[in-house]
Amino acid sequence: MTDVYSLLREFADSWALLVLFLFFVGAFAWVWRPGSRALHDDAARSIFDDPASPEPALTPTIRRLPPSCATGDHR
């Protein structure tokens, strides 16, 4: 009968190594999959978001000039 250490060592040298390698390759492929750039960019910018402040407007505010400025009449 073999001791437990030798049995676990043999398992770790063969099947566990294969499983961990496949996990690493799968995690690498998951990160670099097409279409994940937007998720990663959002996660990268999330630390700069202030949850207490309101969301900024997506379109700039357009200020209209008074009629006197539009015609050039500055009296």
Side-chain angles (χ1 to χ4, degrees):
M1 180 176 189
T2 60
D3 57 340
V4 175
Y5 174 79
S6 297
L7 184 65
L8 291 176
R9 173 69 190 250
E10 184 178 337
F11 175 74
D13 286 341
S14 59
W15 292 107
L17 180 64
L18 177 66
V19 168
L20 289 175
F21 178 74
L22 291 176
F23 177 78
F24 175 77
V25 170
F28 188 81
W30 179 258
V31 169
W32 290 99
R33 74 189 188 280
S36 66
R37 183 171 185 87
L39 295 173
H40 295 303
D41 288 343
D42 185 43
R45 283 192 224 99
S46 67
I47 62 168
F48 301 112
D49 292 340
D50 185 13
S53 67
E55 290 292 321
L58 296 177
T59 57
T61 304
I62 299 174
R63 294 177 27 185
R64 298 197 182 267
L65 296 174
S68 61
C69 291
T71 60
D73 184 19
H74 298 289
R75 292 186 212 174

